[in-house]
Amino acid sequence: MAKSGVLEDGDGDPVVAAAAKVMELKRELQKIVKAIAEGDDVNLDALDKAHRLLCALKELKIKKRSLSSKIHDSSSLTVPDEFRCPLSEELMRDPVIVATGQTYDRPFIQKWLKGGNRTCPRTQQVLSHTILTPNHLIREMISQWCKNNGIQLPDPTQYSEDDGPTEADRDRFISLLSKMSSSLSDQKESARDLRLLTKRMPSFRALFGESLDAIPQLLSPISKSKSPSDIHPDMQEDIITTLLNLSIHDNNKKLVAETPMVIPLLMDALRSGTIETRSNAAAALFTLSALDSNKALIGKSGALKPLIDLLDEGHNIAMKDVASAIFNLCILHENKARAVRDGAVKVILKKITNRVLVDELLAILAMLSNNQKAVEEMVEFEAVPCLFSIMRETACARNKENCIAILYTICFSDRTKWKEMREEDRTYGTISQLVQNGTSRAKRKASGILERLNRAVNLTHTA
């Protein structure tokens, strides 16, 4: 049971001491809960101890929150909103920037990412990478504000909760990998355990990066199969999902992608197995493609074709991951041509016409619109009326911007669509409204289209 004096320890900083004690209690509680869960009989003494630890943890959390409030709101001060982490609602100690440009306190966004999340908590946008960049400007502003108001800002390094792997973790890791070359029942059990451990414990993800043989050992049951139909579907799903979990760890991305059998096995998984397996294979390719070198490697391997085929199939559970992977890969110029060659334009337009995943797919189509063959296919598959109809019905500024960007490229590439565009603007004012109310980029594109159309009309009258 926590003692009343516990918060006064810790090098003079009571909140630091409380944070350290909370972590100590959590670790002890984890051991007891694990012993209870794995034991054959319910140990009443262990249950009592777990209850006492929970009570102590609750008491400590309440006291820690009270102390933290005093630090963060000294003399009834109101912490400026820009200094608060959107996740914790507390004064940030170590502000960092994510791929969307939003700023969070490092320990809280790390916890979010380590939980397997791949979106920005505030904007819900898919993160193109999970690299955290220190926000030195906000950090300096927070420090100055604290100094001006007589508040001591704790050292951010004292709040780290990411413990490294223990010797017990390493022993278990080695044991589980050795079972991947054993009997089928051992393989299935080991694959399941590795999936769960790499999801819950960042230390297990890191362990895979310490040995060049670890990933080949993980993949051995499916890499040695003669065909995908020989693989037990549950085991394939567990192994592919473990690869996804590993790829979330930034230090693993290069190693995972460059292990020779990984990309081919992910491509096989896109075509076969449970829909969860196929979806997680797409998610793994998306996560790995955060690195430019991996984008090139994945594109050269031919992964865009099975991704586009899976998108075409239209499984709800998989499409968002598939679209995210295609988008990330097509940031690289060479992959745009590959995507067009592999039928992306037709599939994407079909989905957009049916109002499926419009936001994500419009972004991909806009990216592809600087490819001449893609533009020709857009004209062939009646993209113009589809894009205008979306612009009329959507309230999303980003979607309008992507639509007009695509139409701008078509306007300057194919004069056969000029009449259709003029009639659209005469009837609905679709383009003119964007000139007045669109984003800065949309205004430029809309103005460019109108200038081109007006110049064509003037030339016709002059002639």
Side-chain angles (χ1 to χ4, degrees):
M1 182 71 76
K3 298 179 182 178
S4 59
V6 73
L7 295 177
E8 278 71 50
D9 298 326
D11 297 329
D13 190 332
V15 178
V16 172
K21 189 63 180 177
V22 165
M23 289 308 301
E24 181 185 331
L25 289 174
K26 280 183 178 179
R27 281 193 288 267
E28 193 172 349
L29 185 61
Q30 283 174 343
K31 291 176 185 176
I32 294 173
V33 171
K34 183 179 178 183
I36 293 171
E38 295 180 353
D40 294 331
D41 297 318
V42 176
N43 187 316
L44 294 179
D45 289 340
L47 286 173
D48 287 340
K49 189 172 183 182
H51 177 70
R52 290 196 300 272
L53 284 169
L54 284 169
C55 290
L57 196 58
K58 181 179 179 181
E59 180 185 340
L60 203 54
K61 280 283 190 180
I62 292 170
K63 290 183 178 180
K64 181 187 169 196
R65 188 179 300 137
S66 175
L67 283 167
S68 183
S69 175
K70 291 176 184 177
I71 288 177
H72 293 186
D73 198 18
S74 177
S75 305
S76 301
L77 286 171
T78 300
V79 177
D81 288 341
E82 61 269 28
F83 295 167
R84 293 180 183 271
C85 173
L87 288 171
S88 68
E89 294 295 330
E90 297 177 357
L91 184 66
M92 290 186 283
R93 305 175 181 91
D94 189 8
V96 293
I97 306 168
V98 299
T100 58
Q102 298 293 322
T103 296
Y104 299 92
D105 203 1
R106 185 185 294 274
F108 295 96
I109 191 62
Q110 281 181 333
K111 185 176 180 182
W112 170 266
L113 295 172
K114 287 169 184 174
N117 298 294
R118 300 187 302 282
T119 57
C120 173
R122 174 174 270 178
T123 67
Q124 298 304 309
Q125 288 177 266
V126 175
L127 295 170
S128 58
H129 59 77
T130 55
I131 297 168
L132 303 178
T133 306
N135 191 330
H136 296 296
L137 176 61
I138 290 294
R139 171 69 183 171
E140 185 60 35
M141 290 170 68
I142 290 173
S143 296
Q144 189 60 48
W145 181 83
C146 289
K147 183 178 179 181
N148 292 343
N149 291 282
I151 296 174
Q152 180 182 359
L153 186 65
D155 183 349
T157 60
Q158 294 173 303
Y159 287 81
S160 174
E161 297 188 1
D162 185 13
D163 296 326
T166 64
E167 284 306 310
D169 290 337
R170 294 181 191 278
D171 291 343
R172 190 175 185 191
F173 175 72
I174 293 168
S175 173
L176 289 172
L177 284 181
S178 67
K179 289 181 180 178
M180 297 303 286
S181 301
S182 187
S183 65
L184 178 60
S185 61
D186 279 347
Q187 288 176 351
K188 289 167 64 177
E189 182 183 354
S190 181
R192 183 68 180 167
D193 286 347
L194 286 167
R195 172 182 180 170
L196 294 174
L197 287 166
T198 53
K199 178 181 180 181
R200 294 197 308 256
M201 299 175 63
S203 58
F204 260 78
R205 296 177 212 153
L207 282 170
F208 273 90
E210 295 180 4
S211 168
L212 293 176
D213 296 328
I215 295 175
Q217 282 181 273
L218 168 71
L219 300 177
S220 59
I222 57 177
S223 63
K224 292 175 181 177
S225 298
K226 294 179 180 178
S227 70
S229 60
D230 295 335
I231 306 166
H232 191 282
D234 290 344
M235 183 166 65
Q236 183 192 30
E237 182 181 326
D238 287 337
I239 291 173
I240 294 300
T241 307
T242 300
L243 277 180
L244 168 60
N245 295 340
L246 296 181
S247 66
I248 293 169
H249 197 289
D250 283 337
N251 292 339
N252 285 343
K253 293 186 192 300
K254 187 175 177 64
L255 172 65
V256 172
E258 293 183 358
T259 299
M261 62 191 73
V262 166
I263 304 302
L265 288 177
L266 287 175
M267 289 167 59
D268 286 341
L270 288 171
R271 303 184 184 100
S272 64
T274 65
I275 188 57
E276 288 80 7
T277 299
R278 302 172 77 189
S279 176
N280 287 342
L285 288 171
F286 160 68
T287 310
L288 291 171
S289 63
L291 296 183
D292 285 344
S293 59
N294 287 353
K295 288 183 180 72
L297 180 61
I298 295 168
K300 288 176 183 175
S301 300
L304 277 160
K305 183 66 168 72
L307 283 169
I308 293 165
D309 290 343
L310 184 52
L311 179 67
D312 194 20
E313 288 182 37
H315 298 283
N316 287 335
I317 195 172
M319 281 201 296
K320 194 139 192 170
D321 286 321
V322 170
S324 298
I326 294 172
F327 178 88
N328 241 17
L329 290 170
C330 287
I331 292 172
L332 197 68
H333 182 72
E334 306 92 273
N335 285 339
K336 293 177 188 177
R338 293 184 179 109
V340 174
R341 181 196 64 206
D342 291 334
V345 173
K346 184 178 181 180
V347 171
I348 290 171
L349 277 173
K350 182 172 73 172
K351 297 298 177 188
I352 291 175
T353 301
N354 293 327
R355 300 305 188 260
V356 175
L357 226 60
V358 172
D359 298 8
E360 293 84 353
L361 297 182
L362 269 178
I364 297 173
L365 203 63
M367 197 183 301
L368 296 179
S369 65
N370 62 7
N371 178 282
Q372 183 57 37
K373 188 173 187 303
V375 174
E376 292 169 4
E377 290 187 6
M378 289 178 201
V379 172
E380 178 186 349
F381 298 126
E382 297 297 326
V384 173
C386 173
L387 294 170
F388 275 131
S389 68
I390 290 172
M391 288 170 65
R392 291 196 300 270
E393 69 188 42
T394 187
C396 176
R398 183 65 181 273
N399 286 352
K400 289 177 185 285
E401 179 183 306
N402 282 328
C403 284
I404 201 68
I406 298 166
L407 289 165
Y408 178 89
T409 307
I410 293 173
C411 175
F412 280 77
S413 301
D414 192 330
R415 62 172 58 199
T416 65
K417 295 298 173 183
W418 290 358
K419 181 180 179 183
E420 187 175 350
M421 292 184 182
R422 279 198 299 268
E423 290 177 355
E424 170 72 25
D425 201 57
R426 268 196 219 106
T427 306
Y428 301 104
T430 313
I431 306 173
S432 298
Q433 286 173 21
L434 268 191
V435 174
Q436 299 299 320
N437 306 316
T439 64
S440 58
R441 179 172 177 244
K443 287 178 180 179
R444 289 197 307 273
K445 299 295 184 182
S447 297
I449 291 174
L450 290 180
E451 288 173 11
R452 185 65 176 254
L453 297 179
N454 290 335
R455 194 181 307 128
V457 170
N458 291 336
L459 287 173
T460 302
H461 290 330
T462 302

